[in-house]
Amino acid sequence: MHPSVSLPNASYYLGPEQEPPLSRAGFITLSVIMGIFTGPAIILNATVIIVSLMHKQLRQPLNYALVNMAVADLGTAMTGGVLSVVNNAQGYFSLGRTGCVMEGFAVSFFGITSLCTVALIAVERMFVVCKPLGLISFRLKHAAGGVALSWLWSLIWNLPPLFGWGRYELEGVGTSCAPDWHNRDPKNVSYILCYFALCFAIPFVIILASYAKLMWTLHQVSKMACVEGGSAAKAEMQVARMVILMVLTFLISWLPYASLAMLVVYNPDVEIHPLVGTVPVYLAKSSTVYNPIIYIYLNKQFRKYAVPFLLCGSQTWVEDEVSETTVESANNKVAPS
């Protein structure tokens, strides 16, 4: 295995006496960057969860999936994000072999759950907006089933490395852990290929197919909204835009990581500098801050409760929202039919 692809196993847990792959300034820079993403991710995802528990108006089927994503993203930020900040500040991974396995499992478990939830949201919105099966309502039992499936699916495919099929190892500059994409052992390669196909490829295909259908329907709904001025059509269009934006940011965050992992699997001798291998890892972890921003600021329900919560009870934002809604309603009333 080329040293530029992964560090020798013996060097993983030796601590600061081992020659690091980056300078001290480089590690500090990575620590600061991860801190910039991790802090807001923890605050915003916790806000989504708290305001959903506080206000029953937010407990709707689509919002259950959004809250589930917030839980998964919060888990990723609290494990992978915080540990990346700490380990990069130290310049090495300090938690030993057991800590590496625990971190690798936790980050992968929460990350795949979040990815599956994105697929769930995309499919749900596709069925609600596009109505391929007619007027079938998406109810709480459907949302609960999808949420449970996302956690179960992630658990099933992240447990095997704990029992010998595949393993968790350090990646990139050696300050975080993940499934071992580099090992050529047939058992490990077979696990990685299954993991990639079932935890990345299939959700991606589902997301992209739903996204394509949503885009087409959104185009049709936009024309209908312009002609009819229907508030329901406009509301559906707004929600569809929110989900599309969520899907795009998630794909942008995760595709580089998945692509680099497959490159290493299919060409183990490829020379990749540790820093180059680290960028997709941190890009994937940064996705934990994008989703709450999208569904706090683009979802009026969440915005109504989340922004005052973040502003420590200030109602200014809500009052502005009410004023805008009143003006819009007045305009609709005087508009010719």
Side-chain angles (χ1 to χ4, degrees):
M1 189 177 299
H2 197 283
S4 63
V5 176
S6 71
L7 302 174
N9 287 342
S11 71
Y12 276 8
Y13 315 107
L14 294 180
E17 69 275 9
Q18 183 71 31
E19 182 180 352
L22 284 182
S23 65
R24 181 62 178 164
F27 279 115
I28 293 298
T29 299
L30 289 179
S31 180
V32 171
I33 291 174
M34 280 308 300
I36 290 173
F37 285 107
T38 300
I42 292 174
I43 294 172
L44 293 176
N45 283 298
T47 295
V48 172
I49 297 169
I50 293 171
V51 298
S52 298
L53 293 175
M54 292 173 58
H55 304 284
K56 63 180 181 181
Q57 296 90 332
L58 297 177
R59 299 168 200 162
Q60 299 177 10
L62 174 60
N63 292 346
Y64 270 71
L66 293 174
V67 173
N68 187 63
M69 182 184 295
V71 172
D73 286 344
L74 180 61
T76 301
M78 293 291 290
T79 53
V82 171
L83 288 178
S84 292
V85 172
V86 174
N87 289 325
N88 278 304
Q90 297 178 123
Y92 63 98
F93 192 86
S94 59
L95 301 180
R97 173 63 187 167
T98 301
C100 180
V101 172
M102 293 177 62
E103 191 225 4
F105 169 77
V107 175
S108 300
F109 177 53
F110 289 123
I112 296 302
T113 299
S114 183
L115 177 56
C116 291
T117 306
V118 173
L120 170 66
I121 295 171
V123 169
E124 186 272 337
R125 276 294 95 190
M126 188 269 290
F127 272 92
V128 171
V129 176
C130 306
K131 299 179 174 60
L133 300 180
L135 299 176
I136 296 180
S137 59
F138 189 83
R139 299 182 179 179
L140 180 58
K141 62 180 181 180
H142 301 129
V147 167
L149 180 61
S150 68
W151 289 99
L152 180 61
W153 188 254
S154 181
L155 181 64
I156 289 174
W157 291 105
N158 284 295
L159 278 178
L162 302 182
F163 299 96
W165 187 30
R167 64 179 185 175
Y168 294 109
E169 285 290 355
L170 291 183
E171 60 183 350
V173 295
T175 53
S176 61
C177 296
D180 187 1
W181 308 101
H182 309 94
N183 193 294
R184 301 184 188 185
D185 181 77
K187 287 176 59 178
N188 187 75
V189 172
S190 66
Y191 169 73
I192 291 300
L193 292 177
C194 289
Y195 190 78
F196 178 83
L198 298 173
C199 295
F200 285 100
I202 290 180
F204 275 158
V205 169
I206 293 174
I207 289 169
L208 291 176
S210 301
Y211 167 71
K213 181 67 174 175
L214 269 173
M215 282 293 291
W216 171 252
T217 304
L218 180 58
H219 176 66
Q220 302 299 318
V221 171
S222 297
K223 293 193 298 184
M224 181 178 66
C226 291
V227 174
E228 299 178 2
S231 59
K234 291 180 180 179
E236 291 290 357
M237 183 171 62
Q238 178 70 7
V239 173
R241 282 175 175 166
M242 179 192 72
V243 175
I244 288 172
L245 187 56
M246 289 173 60
V247 169
L248 283 177
T249 55
F250 204 93
L251 292 177
I252 292 171
S253 299
W254 280 95
L255 274 180
Y257 179 75
S259 300
L260 182 64
M262 283 298 96
L263 174 63
V264 173
V265 169
Y266 284 105
N267 187 8
D269 294 320
V270 63
E271 295 187 10
I272 301 175
H273 190 276
L275 183 59
V276 175
T278 296
V279 172
V281 175
Y282 288 3
L283 187 60
K285 290 180 180 179
S286 70
S287 67
T288 58
V289 77
Y290 304 146
N291 291 326
I293 290 177
I294 291 170
Y295 53 73
I296 283 178
Y297 287 100
L298 293 186
N299 186 320
K300 285 188 177 181
Q301 281 188 315
F302 273 107
R303 188 165 66 217
K304 178 181 178 181
Y305 298 105
V307 175
F309 180 85
L310 288 171
L311 297 178
C312 301
S314 175
Q315 297 297 314
T316 303
W317 185 288
V318 177
E319 291 170 0
D320 291 342
E321 286 283 317
V322 173
S323 299
E324 290 178 9
T325 303
T326 303
V327 171
E328 183 177 343
S329 300
N331 290 337
N332 289 336
K333 288 181 180 180
V334 299
S337 57

